[in-house]
Amino acid sequence: MASVKITIVLLFSLSCAQAQTFAEWFSQGKTQKKYLLAQIEALQVYGGYLKKGYGVAKGGLGSITSYASDEFKLHTAYYDRLKMADPSLKNNAQVKEIISWQQDIIKLTSNWNEVQPTKNALLKDCEAQLTELSKVISSKTEMTEAERLQQIEAIHAAMLSNLHFASNFSTQLKRYAIQKQQEINSTNTLKELYENR
């Protein structure tokens, strides 16, 4: 009974197992060649797909490189343009006024000998404004034309403020000088009156 059970189990497992066919058994060399030829054909098809894939990737990367190069050229042109100031800025009315006001301030402060620190501070600020103006109208800074015009307006306002200060301060100094001279004259007149008594 045990041998019958073993035989049934063996037959059942043999029916499930795959074995070589008789043709394969007797012609293993031919069968092996068939398998190898099928593998070669599959590898050739895969090689074709691989070649197409590399072609697509190379074309895509070439396009990306081209786009990146074009983008870089555009950015370079933009930043190079920012470095170049429009020559017409030098003929701007505000620029001419700033330079003229500098000369006026120098004339107004020429006899400020008694208030030398104030004179030095004012002239130093004027010099800083002119240095900034020089940078704006030359190609030393990267700015758009709108930014350059805005900066010129700010310098113009600062120089106008300096001119007003110089003018008002000069007027006050002249008044003080006149008052001082009047006081000296009054003192001298009083001295003469007392000496003549």
Side-chain angles (χ1 to χ4, degrees):
M1 182 96 159
S3 63
V4 173
K5 287 183 183 177
I6 293 176
T7 306
I8 292 175
V9 170
L10 282 176
L11 285 175
F12 183 70
S13 64
L14 285 176
S15 67
C16 293
Q18 267 190 332
Q20 287 183 333
T21 63
F22 284 110
E24 290 175 344
W25 182 264
F26 291 110
S27 58
Q28 286 184 357
K30 288 181 185 177
T31 306
Q32 191 174 14
K33 285 181 186 177
K34 284 182 189 177
Y35 287 145
L36 290 175
L37 285 174
Q39 284 181 348
I40 289 172
E41 287 176 8
L43 287 173
Q44 285 176 343
V45 170
Y46 178 73
Y49 289 144
L50 191 62
K51 189 174 182 181
K52 285 181 183 177
Y54 281 135
V56 168
K58 184 177 180 183
L61 290 175
S63 296
I64 291 170
T65 303
S66 173
Y67 294 142
S69 175
D70 292 344
E71 186 74 16
F72 178 74
K73 288 176 186 174
L74 286 173
H75 285 290
T76 302
Y78 174 75
Y79 287 112
D80 286 346
R81 178 65 185 110
L82 287 180
K83 291 179 185 175
M84 304 206 33
D86 188 354
S88 67
L89 287 176
K90 293 178 183 175
N91 296 326
N92 184 305
Q94 289 182 329
V95 171
K96 290 181 179 181
E97 284 181 338
I98 291 168
I99 294 169
S100 173
W101 291 342
Q102 171 70 9
Q103 298 304 318
D104 294 341
I105 290 169
I106 290 172
K107 288 176 189 174
L108 286 169
T109 60
S110 61
N111 55 1
W112 288 14
N113 299 327
E114 295 176 7
V115 287
Q116 196 66 35
T118 305
K119 175 181 178 179
N120 290 343
L122 178 63
L123 293 179
K124 185 176 180 181
D125 184 66
C126 290
E127 187 65 31
Q129 298 300 329
L130 288 177
T131 301
E132 185 64 25
L133 178 66
S134 174
K135 288 179 188 176
V136 170
I137 62 174
S138 70
S139 298
K140 294 179 183 177
T141 56
E142 292 182 6
M143 295 177 155
T144 63
E145 293 306 312
E147 290 172 332
R148 289 180 195 278
L149 289 172
Q150 187 178 20
Q151 192 66 24
I152 289 172
E153 285 179 22
I155 295 168
H156 185 266
M159 284 298 282
L160 182 60
S161 175
N162 286 346
L163 179 65
H164 286 311
F165 174 78
S167 177
N168 291 337
F169 201 74
S170 287
T171 302
Q172 287 177 355
L173 286 177
K174 287 176 185 174
R175 284 183 192 152
Y176 291 138
I178 291 170
Q179 286 176 348
K180 186 177 179 181
Q181 189 60 45
Q182 287 174 347
E183 288 175 6
I184 291 172
N185 290 343
S186 295
T187 305
N188 288 340
T189 304
L190 286 174
K191 280 184 184 178
E192 287 177 13
L193 286 174
Y194 283 114
E195 287 175 0
N196 290 338
R197 280 193 177 186

Short mmCIF file of all heavy atoms in Angstrom, two decimals, residues 108-156:
data_model
loop_
_atom_site.label_atom_id
_atom_site.label_comp_id
_atom_site.label_asym_id
_atom_site.label_seq_id
_atom_site.Cartn_x
_atom_site.Cartn_y
_atom_site.Cartn_z
N LEU A 108 30.46 131.05 -3.29
CA LEU A 108 29.80 131.50 -2.06
C LEU A 108 30.63 131.21 -0.81
O LEU A 108 30.58 131.96 0.16
CB LEU A 108 28.42 130.82 -1.92
CG LEU A 108 27.32 131.33 -2.85
CD1 LEU A 108 26.11 130.41 -2.80
CD2 LEU A 108 26.92 132.76 -2.48
N THR A 109 31.39 130.14 -0.83
CA THR A 109 32.15 129.74 0.36
C THR A 109 33.58 130.25 0.35
O THR A 109 34.35 129.96 1.27
CB THR A 109 32.18 128.19 0.49
OG1 THR A 109 32.79 127.63 -0.68
CG2 THR A 109 30.79 127.63 0.67
N SER A 110 33.94 131.02 -0.66
CA SER A 110 35.34 131.44 -0.79
C SER A 110 35.83 132.28 0.39
O SER A 110 37.00 132.24 0.75
CB SER A 110 35.56 132.21 -2.10
OG SER A 110 34.75 133.38 -2.10
N ASN A 111 34.96 133.03 1.04
CA ASN A 111 35.40 133.86 2.17
C ASN A 111 34.81 133.38 3.50
O ASN A 111 34.56 134.17 4.39
CB ASN A 111 35.06 135.34 1.92
CG ASN A 111 33.59 135.54 1.62
OD1 ASN A 111 32.82 134.61 1.61
ND2 ASN A 111 33.23 136.79 1.36
N TRP A 112 34.60 132.09 3.64
CA TRP A 112 34.11 131.52 4.89
C TRP A 112 35.29 131.13 5.77
O TRP A 112 35.37 130.02 6.29
CB TRP A 112 33.28 130.26 4.63
CG TRP A 112 31.92 130.50 4.04
CD1 TRP A 112 31.43 131.62 3.46
CD2 TRP A 112 30.87 129.52 3.96
NE1 TRP A 112 30.16 131.44 3.02
CE2 TRP A 112 29.77 130.14 3.32
CE3 TRP A 112 30.74 128.22 4.37
CZ2 TRP A 112 28.57 129.49 3.08
CZ3 TRP A 112 29.54 127.56 4.12
CH2 TRP A 112 28.47 128.20 3.50
N ASN A 113 36.21 131.99 5.97
CA ASN A 113 37.43 131.66 6.73
C ASN A 113 37.15 131.44 8.21
O ASN A 113 37.83 130.66 8.85
CB ASN A 113 38.47 132.77 6.53
CG ASN A 113 38.84 132.90 5.07
OD1 ASN A 113 38.85 131.91 4.34
ND2 ASN A 113 39.13 134.11 4.64
N GLU A 114 36.18 132.15 8.73
CA GLU A 114 35.90 132.03 10.16
C GLU A 114 35.15 130.73 10.50
O GLU A 114 35.14 130.31 11.65
CB GLU A 114 35.07 133.22 10.64
CG GLU A 114 35.82 134.52 10.53
CD GLU A 114 34.96 135.71 10.92
OE1 GLU A 114 33.83 135.49 11.41
OE2 GLU A 114 35.40 136.84 10.74
N VAL A 115 34.53 130.13 9.51
CA VAL A 115 33.76 128.89 9.74
C VAL A 115 34.31 127.77 8.83
O VAL A 115 33.58 127.13 8.10
CB VAL A 115 32.25 129.12 9.48
CG1 VAL A 115 31.62 129.92 10.59
CG2 VAL A 115 32.02 129.76 8.14
N GLN A 116 35.60 127.54 8.93
CA GLN A 116 36.28 126.57 8.08
C GLN A 116 35.70 125.15 8.18
O GLN A 116 35.54 124.49 7.16
CB GLN A 116 37.79 126.57 8.40
CG GLN A 116 38.64 125.90 7.34
CD GLN A 116 38.64 126.63 6.02
OE1 GLN A 116 38.58 127.86 5.96
NE2 GLN A 116 38.72 125.88 4.94
N PRO A 117 35.36 124.63 9.37
CA PRO A 117 34.79 123.26 9.45
C PRO A 117 33.48 123.12 8.67
O PRO A 117 33.25 122.12 8.01
CB PRO A 117 34.57 123.04 10.94
CG PRO A 117 35.52 123.97 11.62
CD PRO A 117 35.63 125.16 10.72
N THR A 118 32.64 124.16 8.74
CA THR A 118 31.37 124.13 8.00
C THR A 118 31.65 124.14 6.50
O THR A 118 31.03 123.38 5.74
CB THR A 118 30.49 125.33 8.38
OG1 THR A 118 30.32 125.34 9.80
CG2 THR A 118 29.16 125.28 7.69
N LYS A 119 32.58 124.98 6.09
CA LYS A 119 32.95 125.06 4.67
C LYS A 119 33.48 123.71 4.19
O LYS A 119 33.08 123.22 3.13
CB LYS A 119 34.01 126.15 4.49
CG LYS A 119 34.55 126.25 3.08
CD LYS A 119 35.61 127.34 3.01
CE LYS A 119 36.21 127.43 1.62
NZ LYS A 119 37.23 128.49 1.51
N ASN A 120 34.36 123.09 4.97
CA ASN A 120 34.96 121.81 4.58
C ASN A 120 33.89 120.71 4.46
O ASN A 120 33.92 119.91 3.52
CB ASN A 120 36.03 121.39 5.57
CG ASN A 120 37.26 122.27 5.50
OD1 ASN A 120 37.47 122.99 4.53
ND2 ASN A 120 38.08 122.24 6.53
N ALA A 121 32.96 120.69 5.41
CA ALA A 121 31.91 119.67 5.37
C ALA A 121 31.02 119.84 4.14
O ALA A 121 30.66 118.86 3.47
CB ALA A 121 31.07 119.73 6.64
N LEU A 122 30.67 121.09 3.84
CA LEU A 122 29.83 121.35 2.68
C LEU A 122 30.53 120.97 1.38
O LEU A 122 29.96 120.30 0.52
CB LEU A 122 29.42 122.83 2.65
CG LEU A 122 28.56 123.26 1.46
CD1 LEU A 122 27.23 122.53 1.48
CD2 LEU A 122 28.35 124.76 1.47
N LEU A 123 31.78 121.38 1.25
CA LEU A 123 32.52 121.07 0.02
C LEU A 123 32.78 119.56 -0.12
O LEU A 123 32.79 119.02 -1.23
CB LEU A 123 33.83 121.85 -0.03
CG LEU A 123 33.67 123.37 -0.17
CD1 LEU A 123 35.03 124.06 -0.17
CD2 LEU A 123 32.89 123.72 -1.44
N LYS A 124 32.96 118.90 1.02
CA LYS A 124 33.16 117.44 0.99
C LYS A 124 31.89 116.74 0.49
O LYS A 124 31.96 115.82 -0.32
CB LYS A 124 33.54 116.93 2.38
CG LYS A 124 33.89 115.47 2.42
CD LYS A 124 34.35 115.06 3.81
CE LYS A 124 34.69 113.60 3.86
NZ LYS A 124 35.13 113.17 5.19
N ASP A 125 30.72 117.19 0.95
CA ASP A 125 29.47 116.61 0.48
C ASP A 125 29.26 116.88 -1.01
O ASP A 125 28.83 116.00 -1.75
CB ASP A 125 28.29 117.15 1.27
CG ASP A 125 26.99 116.48 0.87
OD1 ASP A 125 26.86 115.26 1.12
OD2 ASP A 125 26.12 117.16 0.28
N CYS A 126 29.59 118.09 -1.45
CA CYS A 126 29.47 118.43 -2.87
C CYS A 126 30.38 117.53 -3.71
O CYS A 126 29.98 117.05 -4.78
CB CYS A 126 29.81 119.90 -3.11
SG CYS A 126 28.58 121.03 -2.47
N GLU A 127 31.57 117.30 -3.23
CA GLU A 127 32.52 116.44 -3.94
C GLU A 127 31.99 115.01 -4.03
O GLU A 127 32.10 114.36 -5.08
CB GLU A 127 33.88 116.46 -3.23
CG GLU A 127 34.97 115.73 -3.98
CD GLU A 127 35.31 116.37 -5.31
OE1 GLU A 127 35.20 117.60 -5.45
OE2 GLU A 127 35.68 115.62 -6.23
N ALA A 128 31.38 114.52 -2.96
CA ALA A 128 30.79 113.18 -2.97
C ALA A 128 29.64 113.09 -3.98
O ALA A 128 29.51 112.09 -4.70
CB ALA A 128 30.28 112.81 -1.57
N GLN A 129 28.85 114.15 -4.06
CA GLN A 129 27.74 114.15 -5.04
C GLN A 129 28.28 114.14 -6.47
O GLN A 129 27.75 113.44 -7.34
CB GLN A 129 26.84 115.38 -4.83
CG GLN A 129 26.15 115.47 -3.48
CD GLN A 129 25.25 114.30 -3.18
OE1 GLN A 129 24.66 113.71 -4.08
NE2 GLN A 129 25.15 113.93 -1.92
N LEU A 130 29.33 114.90 -6.71
CA LEU A 130 29.92 114.93 -8.06
C LEU A 130 30.57 113.59 -8.41
O LEU A 130 30.52 113.16 -9.58
CB LEU A 130 30.94 116.06 -8.18
CG LEU A 130 30.34 117.46 -8.22
CD1 LEU A 130 31.44 118.51 -8.26
CD2 LEU A 130 29.42 117.63 -9.42
N THR A 131 31.18 112.93 -7.44
CA THR A 131 31.77 111.61 -7.68
C THR A 131 30.68 110.62 -8.06
O THR A 131 30.83 109.83 -8.99
CB THR A 131 32.53 111.12 -6.43
OG1 THR A 131 33.55 112.06 -6.12
CG2 THR A 131 33.13 109.76 -6.65
N GLU A 132 29.57 110.66 -7.34
CA GLU A 132 28.44 109.78 -7.64
C GLU A 132 27.87 110.09 -9.02
O GLU A 132 27.55 109.19 -9.79
CB GLU A 132 27.36 109.93 -6.57
CG GLU A 132 26.21 108.98 -6.72
CD GLU A 132 26.59 107.51 -6.56
OE1 GLU A 132 27.60 107.21 -5.89
OE2 GLU A 132 25.87 106.66 -7.11
N LEU A 133 27.78 111.37 -9.35
CA LEU A 133 27.29 111.77 -10.67
C LEU A 133 28.20 111.23 -11.77
O LEU A 133 27.74 110.73 -12.79
CB LEU A 133 27.19 113.30 -10.76
CG LEU A 133 26.74 113.86 -12.11
CD1 LEU A 133 25.30 113.44 -12.40
CD2 LEU A 133 26.89 115.36 -12.14
N SER A 134 29.49 111.32 -11.53
CA SER A 134 30.46 110.81 -12.50
C SER A 134 30.27 109.31 -12.74
O SER A 134 30.33 108.83 -13.87
CB SER A 134 31.88 111.09 -12.01
OG SER A 134 32.82 110.49 -12.86
N LYS A 135 30.01 108.56 -11.67
CA LYS A 135 29.77 107.12 -11.81
C LYS A 135 28.49 106.85 -12.60
O LYS A 135 28.44 105.94 -13.41
CB LYS A 135 29.65 106.46 -10.43
CG LYS A 135 30.94 106.35 -9.67
CD LYS A 135 30.68 105.71 -8.32
CE LYS A 135 31.89 105.74 -7.43
NZ LYS A 135 31.58 105.20 -6.08
N VAL A 136 27.47 107.65 -12.34
CA VAL A 136 26.17 107.41 -12.98
C VAL A 136 26.23 107.70 -14.47
O VAL A 136 25.69 106.93 -15.27
CB VAL A 136 25.07 108.27 -12.30
CG1 VAL A 136 23.78 108.23 -13.09
CG2 VAL A 136 24.83 107.78 -10.89
N ILE A 137 26.89 108.78 -14.87
CA ILE A 137 26.89 109.14 -16.30
C ILE A 137 28.00 108.45 -17.07
O ILE A 137 28.07 108.57 -18.30
CB ILE A 137 26.95 110.67 -16.51
CG1 ILE A 137 28.24 111.26 -15.96
CG2 ILE A 137 25.74 111.33 -15.93
CD1 ILE A 137 28.41 112.74 -16.26
N SER A 138 28.87 107.72 -16.38
CA SER A 138 29.90 106.95 -17.07
C SER A 138 29.49 105.48 -17.07
O SER A 138 28.40 105.13 -16.65
CB SER A 138 31.25 107.14 -16.38
OG SER A 138 31.24 106.50 -15.12
N SER A 139 30.38 104.64 -17.52
CA SER A 139 30.08 103.20 -17.59
C SER A 139 30.67 102.45 -16.40
O SER A 139 31.01 101.28 -16.51
CB SER A 139 30.62 102.65 -18.90
OG SER A 139 29.99 103.28 -19.99
N LYS A 140 30.78 103.10 -15.25
CA LYS A 140 31.39 102.46 -14.08
C LYS A 140 30.40 101.66 -13.26
O LYS A 140 30.78 100.87 -12.43
CB LYS A 140 32.06 103.51 -13.19
CG LYS A 140 33.24 104.18 -13.85
CD LYS A 140 33.86 105.23 -12.96
CE LYS A 140 34.99 105.94 -13.65
NZ LYS A 140 35.57 107.01 -12.85
N THR A 141 29.10 101.89 -13.47
CA THR A 141 28.08 101.18 -12.69
C THR A 141 27.10 100.50 -13.64
O THR A 141 26.88 100.98 -14.76
CB THR A 141 27.30 102.13 -11.77
OG1 THR A 141 26.74 103.18 -12.57
CG2 THR A 141 28.18 102.73 -10.71
N GLU A 142 26.50 99.41 -13.17
CA GLU A 142 25.49 98.71 -13.95
C GLU A 142 24.12 99.18 -13.51
O GLU A 142 23.68 98.90 -12.41
CB GLU A 142 25.62 97.20 -13.74
CG GLU A 142 26.88 96.61 -14.32
CD GLU A 142 26.95 95.11 -14.15
OE1 GLU A 142 25.98 94.51 -13.68
OE2 GLU A 142 28.01 94.56 -14.49
N MET A 143 23.46 99.95 -14.39
CA MET A 143 22.13 100.49 -14.10
C MET A 143 21.33 100.57 -15.38
O MET A 143 21.90 100.73 -16.46
CB MET A 143 22.22 101.92 -13.55
CG MET A 143 22.88 102.09 -12.24
SD MET A 143 22.94 103.87 -11.87
CE MET A 143 23.01 103.84 -10.12
N THR A 144 20.02 100.52 -15.23
CA THR A 144 19.16 100.80 -16.38
C THR A 144 19.11 102.32 -16.55
O THR A 144 19.50 103.06 -15.65
CB THR A 144 17.74 100.25 -16.15
OG1 THR A 144 17.16 100.93 -15.03
CG2 THR A 144 17.75 98.75 -15.92
N GLU A 145 18.61 102.76 -17.69
CA GLU A 145 18.52 104.20 -17.93
C GLU A 145 17.57 104.85 -16.92
O GLU A 145 17.82 105.96 -16.45
CB GLU A 145 18.05 104.48 -19.37
CG GLU A 145 19.07 104.09 -20.42
CD GLU A 145 20.44 104.70 -20.22
OE1 GLU A 145 20.54 105.91 -19.99
OE2 GLU A 145 21.42 103.94 -20.27
N ALA A 146 16.51 104.16 -16.58
CA ALA A 146 15.57 104.70 -15.58
C ALA A 146 16.24 104.87 -14.23
O ALA A 146 16.05 105.89 -13.55
CB ALA A 146 14.35 103.79 -15.46
N GLU A 147 17.06 103.89 -13.84
CA GLU A 147 17.78 103.99 -12.56
C GLU A 147 18.81 105.13 -12.61
O GLU A 147 18.99 105.84 -11.62
CB GLU A 147 18.49 102.67 -12.25
CG GLU A 147 17.56 101.54 -11.90
CD GLU A 147 18.26 100.19 -11.79
OE1 GLU A 147 19.29 99.98 -12.46
OE2 GLU A 147 17.77 99.35 -11.03
N ARG A 148 19.45 105.30 -13.75
CA ARG A 148 20.42 106.40 -13.89
C ARG A 148 19.72 107.75 -13.74
O ARG A 148 20.19 108.64 -13.04
CB ARG A 148 21.14 106.32 -15.23
CG ARG A 148 22.12 105.16 -15.33
CD ARG A 148 22.81 105.14 -16.70
NE ARG A 148 23.47 103.88 -16.93
CZ ARG A 148 24.67 103.54 -16.48
NH1 ARG A 148 25.36 104.41 -15.78
NH2 ARG A 148 25.19 102.37 -16.74
N LEU A 149 18.58 107.90 -14.41
CA LEU A 149 17.84 109.17 -14.31
C LEU A 149 17.34 109.42 -12.88
O LEU A 149 17.39 110.55 -12.39
CB LEU A 149 16.66 109.16 -15.29
CG LEU A 149 17.05 109.25 -16.77
CD1 LEU A 149 15.82 109.05 -17.65
CD2 LEU A 149 17.73 110.58 -17.08
N GLN A 150 16.92 108.36 -12.22
CA GLN A 150 16.46 108.49 -10.83
C GLN A 150 17.63 108.92 -9.93
O GLN A 150 17.47 109.78 -9.06
CB GLN A 150 15.88 107.15 -10.36
CG GLN A 150 15.22 107.19 -9.02
CD GLN A 150 14.62 105.84 -8.66
OE1 GLN A 150 14.98 104.81 -9.20
NE2 GLN A 150 13.69 105.86 -7.73
N GLN A 151 18.79 108.35 -10.16
CA GLN A 151 19.97 108.70 -9.36
C GLN A 151 20.39 110.15 -9.64
O GLN A 151 20.77 110.88 -8.73
CB GLN A 151 21.12 107.73 -9.67
CG GLN A 151 22.28 107.81 -8.73
CD GLN A 151 21.93 107.36 -7.32
OE1 GLN A 151 21.00 106.61 -7.11
NE2 GLN A 151 22.66 107.85 -6.37
N ILE A 152 20.30 110.57 -10.88
CA ILE A 152 20.63 111.97 -11.23
C ILE A 152 19.67 112.93 -10.52
O ILE A 152 20.09 113.97 -10.01
CB ILE A 152 20.60 112.18 -12.77
CG1 ILE A 152 21.80 111.47 -13.41
CG2 ILE A 152 20.59 113.66 -13.13
CD1 ILE A 152 21.77 111.44 -14.92
N GLU A 153 18.40 112.57 -10.46
CA GLU A 153 17.42 113.41 -9.76
C GLU A 153 17.77 113.53 -8.28
O GLU A 153 17.65 114.61 -7.69
CB GLU A 153 16.02 112.83 -9.92
CG GLU A 153 15.42 113.06 -11.28
CD GLU A 153 14.03 112.46 -11.43
OE1 GLU A 153 13.36 112.25 -10.41
OE2 GLU A 153 13.62 112.23 -12.58
N ALA A 154 18.19 112.42 -7.67
CA ALA A 154 18.56 112.45 -6.24
C ALA A 154 19.79 113.33 -6.02
O ALA A 154 19.84 114.13 -5.07
CB ALA A 154 18.83 111.03 -5.74
N ILE A 155 20.77 113.23 -6.90
CA ILE A 155 21.98 114.06 -6.79
C ILE A 155 21.61 115.53 -7.01
O ILE A 155 22.11 116.42 -6.32
CB ILE A 155 23.04 113.59 -7.80
CG1 ILE A 155 23.52 112.18 -7.43
CG2 ILE A 155 24.22 114.55 -7.85
CD1 ILE A 155 24.35 111.51 -8.52
N HIS A 156 20.73 115.77 -7.96
CA HIS A 156 20.27 117.13 -8.26
C HIS A 156 19.63 117.75 -7.02
O HIS A 156 19.91 118.90 -6.65
CB HIS A 156 19.27 117.07 -9.43
CG HIS A 156 18.81 118.39 -9.92
ND1 HIS A 156 17.65 118.98 -9.46
CD2 HIS A 156 19.32 119.24 -10.86
CE1 HIS A 156 17.47 120.14 -10.08
NE2 HIS A 156 18.47 120.32 -10.94
#
